[in-house]
Amino acid sequence: MSIVTKPAAKGEIELLREGIQVLEKKIAVQKKALEQLTGKTGQQQAAQPKKEQKTDAKSQEKPAKEEAKPVPRGPRFELVRSVGEECQSEEELALLLSKKETGFRFYDGFEPSGRMHIAQGIFKTINVNKCTEAGGTFIFWVADWFALMNDKMGGNLTRIRTVGEYLIQVWKAAGMNLDNVQFIWSSDEINSKAEEYWTQMLDIARQFTLSRITKCCQIMGRNEGTLTCAQILYPLMQCTDIFFLRADICQLGVDQRKVNMLARDYCVAAKRKFKPIILSHHMIFGLGVDQDKMSKSDESSAIFMEDTAEDVERKILGSLPTTNTTVDDVYKMLETMFNLPVPRTLVAREKEFTSVSELKAANIPSAELINAAFTISGAWCPLHAAKIDKNPILDYLKSIVFTLPTSTLKVSETVYTSVEDVKKDLMSGKLPVVSLKMEVVKVINSMLEPVRKHFTTDETAKEILAKVKQYKKDVEAEKNAPKKETPVKEGKDGDVLMMVLPSNKLQLNQVTSIGLAAMNELAAGAKNIKILLQDWSAFLLNVAGADRKNIKAILEWTKMWLQGFFTQQKVPSSAITFVWESEAILSDPDTYWVSVINWGRCTTLKWMEESMGKKEGDSEEGRAANNVVAGLMAIQNACFLECATVYSPHSLFDNCLAKSKAAVKQFAVTVPCMKKEEGGEAVETTPNGVLPDSAVATTMFVEEQFNLIKPKLKKAFCKPGEANDNPVLQLASALCGITAAPLTVNLKEGPKTFTPAELAKSFSDESLHPSDLKPSVEAALNTFITGLRTATSSDPNFKKLESQITAISKKLAKSTGKK
């Protein structure tokens, strides 16, 4: 949603233009000096002896490669660069501005999480006006989704949206020139372009480890040890915003630097040519002692945009009288300050004092003592060299008052043109602290007056502010209330969900396990079998090299063979529904992803990792961010499709799915690996679709003709009398289940049929020998595979898809170095 309102007053724009003119003059002087220097150097070269010139000419026969010339930097560069405390990188910024006069895009995301302080209001207005004056378009990303993830406003989206409206009202009133400013609501924009946004987020998630992502989590002000899964989603989504909004320049605070650098790192990982430029503005200090930035949770740490004139005076000047101040007034104030829960320290004559008695004994002159007292009355204003650069009053001057070359500040009869001049007089004692603070109060109040007027005279703005203030009270009251569990929609009885993650190469076991599970559920009374083809989860988990076209083809191939299986087994097509995960999500992306976020909010990262197999001592660098997102999606898939029974796509997701309160089942192994020796653990395809090397030679794949499967069966472990851990006997039992008929074994005395129980008993007592069992299993398997292939190949797209799958398999084998 874009909001366009009246532009700022002409005076402010004229000030910006005057500033640009000053910068142009400075650059012209520098250019002239450079030309003079260049001319002089040229003359010196011309005066060199001819012999030296000849040598130079000879050496130039094979000229060395010239270094790239730096991009010229003009007044537009200086204006934009003045916005940021840090820039990554200046050369890239200069290049961008040299190529684009207008239309380059700045981005900043604001989380609607409460009232707005002066840094977000006035300071941001100044910076945005600089950016748009230089020809840029400024995109404000009103991040209501992020506020929901961070549990702001009690995790209530309606409240969050109202707070977002409040932010916009403040910027309107603060004088922001909105001609080239857009306010975009994240939830609206994301839902209108859901596929683009969420696949970009999944692509970022699959590129990084959890260790890398959690380094960004300080932007949420949370301790890494208490992180929820939703707070892992936050930096992933903020990184996504940058590319989704096609931002050229990320213009956020330095506290957001790590997540912005994540975006640049992603460009390297994803082999994107152009990285976003990071232009990070300064974080204005809080008014308290050594506060690195303002805090919404500590009202005394900041001036807020709707503060009254009295509020500003109290926060800056404190309780000490500003006229006719006496020593007794100082002692009375200091008694209070020295006995606060976090006592303040008074510095005078380079000595720290923590009690009135110490001060009295020091015999400090009254004027000097009063001046020192004003450094801790109200806003902290240290004068000593060790702390002067952390002085919030000077920081206000630097960041808000002296923002243009033409800016001035008049205190008494002295006119200051820079914060350095103010600092010098303040430290020397020439400028009294109280005089400076009183002038700062006047300046701030003059800036806030239009905002105050707007929120008292504009009915819409007045109503919004009243709501925001009430919401804050409501949230405070709700803090001690029991935390609400995410509501779980009960699955429908009789509906069974079978999640399918693709493998790089389709195993016969995948087809038979899913097919037999569906047949068993229908036999037990299930009404609907939903087979979920997890294309987005597969992309997230890096299946098939995270190539979405290849993933789609592999899942189509899986679906085709499953349909062939159901046709062969005469399962009614009406009982089976194939559902593409991407299509299900995009049918209602808002509900789906809000629910994923809610699952993340009530699921700690520690629980998720332990549920997905993390053990004590596991490498931190090996922790994958994509597994966490995939786990949340698995939970929501189960709820979203409303099934009472869910088959897990992989053992890693079993515990996650249990959160959905559905009955969680696992697919039984029907066609095991034909291992060649006794023992060994069961082999499972990894979540990214790769079968371990050790299992490839003994696994049966649907693409293989029977002449390739037969040798695997012949070499399989099948020790006489050993019924347990016997892959041939296990396969024989599975074939009985699939065909719903006993296995016929050709013995010396003639053919005999065996049920699975009879097979196990006869093999254990050695009345059934491997030399009799293997040929019979081979014949039964050949009959089954021939029928399955006939049913599957009847699909008119079979040959085309088979060729495509063959090409994909060769490509994947080449990329992994496997045959």
Side-chain angles (χ1 to χ4, degrees):
M1 177 179 72
S2 298
I3 297 176
V4 180
T5 61
K6 62 181 182 180
K10 290 183 179 179
E12 187 178 348
I13 304 302
E14 289 170 359
L15 284 173
L16 283 168
R17 287 173 179 155
E18 287 175 15
I20 292 176
Q21 289 172 1
V22 172
L23 290 170
E24 286 175 336
K25 289 178 182 178
K26 289 182 179 178
I27 291 169
V29 171
Q30 293 172 354
K31 184 177 179 182
K32 186 175 180 180
L34 182 63
E35 287 173 349
Q36 291 174 348
L37 179 64
T38 305
K40 183 178 178 182
T41 303
Q43 291 171 4
Q44 290 173 343
Q45 288 176 345
Q48 289 177 350
K50 291 182 179 180
K51 186 176 181 180
E52 287 186 20
Q53 289 181 349
K54 185 177 180 181
T55 303
D56 288 346
K58 189 175 181 180
S59 66
Q60 289 174 5
E61 290 176 7
K62 295 181 179 180
K65 186 178 180 181
E66 292 185 8
E67 291 184 8
K69 294 181 180 179
V71 180
R73 301 179 182 188
R76 289 171 63 239
F77 171 85
E78 298 295 339
L79 184 62
V80 173
R81 182 63 184 86
S82 70
V83 169
E85 187 171 79
E86 296 178 0
C87 181
Q88 184 67 259
S89 70
E90 290 189 351
E91 192 63 23
E92 292 172 10
L93 176 61
L95 183 62
L96 173 68
L97 295 177
S98 70
K99 289 182 176 179
K100 292 186 178 182
E101 287 289 328
T102 60
F104 49 96
R105 293 164 69 87
F106 293 85
Y107 143 78
D108 190 359
F110 274 100
E111 189 178 288
S113 56
R115 299 165 63 197
M116 180 188 282
H117 51 55
I118 197 169
Q120 286 180 295
I122 300 298
F123 185 45
K124 194 67 199 179
T125 295
I126 292 168
N127 284 340
V128 168
N129 286 347
K130 287 181 179 180
C131 294
T132 55
E133 179 67 17
T137 298
F138 207 101
I139 308 298
F140 273 114
W141 188 238
V142 189
D144 47 354
W145 274 56
F146 299 99
L148 177 66
M149 278 188 288
N150 271 341
D151 207 18
K152 297 297 172 66
M153 287 292 136
N156 184 305
L157 198 55
T158 300
R159 292 174 181 171
I160 290 166
R161 294 286 294 230
T162 303
V163 174
E165 292 285 358
Y166 160 72
L167 299 180
I168 295 170
Q169 290 289 334
V170 172
W171 282 315
K172 285 182 189 178
M176 186 180 287
N177 181 4
L178 298 174
D179 286 348
N180 289 306
V181 174
Q182 295 178 33
F183 292 101
I184 302 176
W185 293 89
S186 62
S187 56
D188 289 346
E189 194 72 6
I190 289 169
N191 287 331
S192 66
K193 300 173 183 175
E195 182 170 8
E196 177 186 345
Y197 185 90
W198 293 113
T199 53
Q200 176 67 75
M201 188 276 281
L202 297 177
D203 192 43
I204 293 169
R206 75 182 187 83
Q207 302 280 0
F208 296 104
T209 64
L210 267 176
S211 177
R212 179 66 181 86
I213 300 300
T214 52
K215 287 177 182 176
C216 302
C217 290
Q218 69 173 34
I219 61 178
M220 296 174 288
R222 304 295 176 91
N223 186 304
E224 187 174 322
T226 61
L227 290 176
T228 66
C229 292
Q231 288 155 353
I232 296 301
L233 290 174
Y234 187 100
L236 293 174
M237 291 175 66
Q238 187 171 336
C239 187
T240 301
D241 296 340
I242 295 167
F243 302 103
F244 183 66
L245 295 170
R246 292 168 178 78
D248 297 301
I249 303 171
C250 299
Q251 205 293 280
L252 296 90
V254 291
D255 62 333
Q256 312 271 328
R257 183 181 184 277
K258 287 185 178 180
V259 78
N260 288 333
M261 290 305 295
L262 183 73
R264 289 177 65 88
D265 291 346
Y266 166 74
C267 290
V268 175
K271 299 180 180 178
R272 294 176 71 126
K273 184 176 180 181
F274 298 107
K275 300 176 184 177
I277 296 163
I278 312 302
L279 188 65
S280 304
H281 63 249
H282 171 65
M283 301 300 293
I284 298 179
F285 300 145
L287 297 175
V289 178
D290 279 322
Q291 288 185 324
D292 289 334
K293 64 178 184 177
M294 301 174 183
S295 170
K296 295 193 187 86
S297 60
D298 178 5
E299 291 212 7
S300 65
S301 75
I303 304 298
F304 287 86
M305 294 302 293
E306 75 281 1
D307 276 352
T308 64
E310 292 75 19
D311 290 332
V312 175
E313 185 173 334
R314 171 178 52 81
K315 290 179 180 181
I316 299 295
L317 286 163
S319 60
L320 200 60
T322 56
T323 57
N324 302 317
T325 314
T326 67
V327 172
D328 287 339
D329 292 329
V330 170
Y331 289 151
K332 183 179 178 181
M333 184 270 292
L334 290 177
E335 283 286 0
T336 302
M337 303 295 279
F338 290 154
N339 289 287
L340 290 171
V342 181
R344 286 203 175 185
T345 301
L346 181 73
V347 178
R349 296 192 169 186
E350 298 185 2
K351 184 180 177 182
E352 294 185 352
F353 295 92
T354 58
S355 73
V356 172
S357 59
E358 286 180 307
L359 270 175
K360 288 180 177 179
N363 292 320
I364 299 171
S366 298
E368 189 177 342
L369 177 60
I370 290 169
N371 192 57
F374 270 108
T375 66
I376 64 171
S377 178
W380 188 49
C381 188
L383 305 181
H384 48 295
K387 293 290 185 180
I388 191 71
D389 289 333
K390 295 283 287 183
N391 188 317
I393 298 298
L394 294 179
D395 200 28
Y396 269 49
L397 294 179
K398 178 182 177 181
S399 302
I400 296 175
V401 178
F402 293 113
T403 56
L404 293 171
T406 54
S407 301
T408 61
L409 178 74
K410 186 177 181 181
V411 185
S412 298
E413 297 304 315
T414 305
V415 177
Y416 294 97
T417 58
S418 74
V419 71
E420 289 303 319
D421 292 339
V422 176
K423 177 180 173 181
K424 179 181 176 183
D425 283 1
L426 196 62
M427 293 181 73
S428 70
K430 181 180 177 181
L431 174 60
V433 174
V434 64
S435 299
L436 176 61
K437 282 190 172 184
M438 289 174 69
E439 192 58 38
V440 169
V441 168
K442 289 179 186 177
V443 172
I444 291 174
N445 276 327
S446 68
M447 291 178 171
L448 295 185
E449 192 53 39
V451 180
R452 293 189 192 117
K453 185 177 179 181
H454 181 68
F455 280 100
T456 54
T457 60
D458 186 288
E459 291 301 318
T460 301
K462 189 192 297 185
E463 182 182 351
I464 289 172
L465 178 58
K467 285 183 178 179
V468 170
K469 288 182 175 179
Q470 184 58 49
Y471 289 162
K472 191 169 184 181
K473 293 178 182 178
D474 294 342
V475 170
E476 193 64 31
E478 292 165 4
K479 279 185 178 178
N480 296 324
K483 194 170 184 180
K484 293 181 180 179
E485 289 289 331
T486 301
V488 179
K489 188 180 285 187
E490 295 293 333
K492 295 177 182 176
D493 287 335
D495 282 13
V496 178
L497 179 65
M498 297 184 173
M499 297 186 182
V500 179
L501 278 171
S503 296
N504 286 355
K505 196 170 183 181
L506 183 58
Q507 301 166 40
L508 182 60
N509 177 63
Q510 290 172 287
V511 175
T512 56
S513 294
I514 296 169
L516 191 57
M519 289 171 61
N520 290 338
E521 289 291 346
L522 290 171
K527 298 173 184 176
N528 299 298
I529 305 292
K530 297 178 183 178
I531 298 179
L532 183 67
L533 304 171
Q534 294 181 268
D535 51 341
W536 276 17
S537 292
F539 171 63
L540 172 65
L541 293 168
N542 292 313
V543 175
D547 186 310
R548 292 177 63 198
K549 288 183 179 179
N550 288 350
I551 289 169
K552 186 85 171 177
I554 292 170
L555 281 170
E556 286 282 11
W557 185 239
T558 305
K559 176 185 174 183
M560 188 177 287
W561 279 89
L562 284 170
Q563 287 174 323
F565 179 90
F566 293 133
T567 299
Q568 182 192 32
Q569 302 302 318
K570 298 181 172 55
V571 176
S573 59
S574 59
I576 308 292
T577 303
F578 288 91
V579 180
W580 287 94
E581 183 183 43
S582 56
E583 292 177 4
I585 293 171
L586 293 174
S587 69
D588 189 359
D590 185 71
T591 298
Y592 184 91
W593 288 107
V594 167
S595 296
V596 167
I597 293 167
N598 282 335
W599 282 116
R601 288 174 60 210
C602 67
T603 305
T604 66
L605 179 59
K606 182 180 178 182
W607 182 92
M608 178 64 79
E609 286 198 275
E610 289 175 351
S611 296
M612 299 189 77
K614 183 190 175 186
K615 298 175 184 176
E616 195 75 29
D618 282 356
S619 168
E620 292 293 304
E621 289 302 318
R623 298 155 61 199
N626 56 356
N627 281 352
V628 173
V629 181
L632 294 176
M633 289 176 67
I635 301 169
Q636 179 54 16
N637 285 341
C639 295
F640 195 62
L641 293 167
E642 300 180 13
C643 293
T645 302
V646 179
Y647 278 79
S648 174
H650 193 281
S651 59
L652 284 181
F653 299 105
D654 292 354
N655 288 332
C656 296
L657 289 170
K659 267 186 171 280
S660 69
K661 296 189 178 178
V664 181
K665 296 184 179 182
Q666 293 76 35
F667 294 110
V669 175
T670 50
V671 182
C673 288
M674 296 293 110
K675 58 183 182 178
K676 301 176 184 178
E677 56 188 22
E678 186 177 5
E681 295 181 359
V683 178
E684 184 178 23
T685 303
T686 59
N688 68 349
V690 177
L691 193 66
D693 291 345
S694 59
V696 172
T698 57
T699 299
M700 299 179 182
F701 300 99
V702 296
E703 294 92 344
E704 294 176 329
Q705 296 293 336
F706 192 72
N707 64 325
L708 295 176
I709 291 175
K710 185 176 178 180
K712 295 179 181 180
L713 181 59
K714 282 190 173 183
K715 295 177 183 179
F717 171 76
C718 190
K719 185 178 179 181
E722 186 60 62
N724 295 323
D725 199 28
N726 185 324
V728 178
L729 196 60
Q730 189 178 352
L731 176 58
S733 297
L735 288 170
C736 290
I738 292 169
T739 60
L743 179 71
T744 301
V745 180
N746 292 314
L747 302 172
K748 290 180 181 179
E749 58 271 23
K752 184 179 179 180
T753 58
F754 291 85
T755 64
E758 290 169 340
L759 281 171
K761 182 178 181 302
S762 299
F763 200 84
S764 296
D765 63 21
E766 298 191 34
S767 59
L768 178 60
H769 194 269
S771 60
D772 296 320
L773 178 63
K774 279 192 175 183
S776 301
V777 172
E778 179 187 316
L781 182 61
N782 189 19
T783 300
F784 166 69
I785 289 177
T786 301
L788 175 61
R789 190 171 185 85
T790 299
T792 304
S793 60
S794 64
D795 189 300
N797 295 315
F798 179 84
K799 287 292 183 185
K800 180 180 178 181
L801 190 54
E802 184 178 39
S803 298
Q804 189 177 351
I805 292 298
T806 300
I808 292 170
S809 296
K810 287 180 179 178
K811 183 179 178 181
L812 291 173
K814 186 177 180 181
S815 66
T816 58
K818 295 178 183 179
K819 294 182 180 181

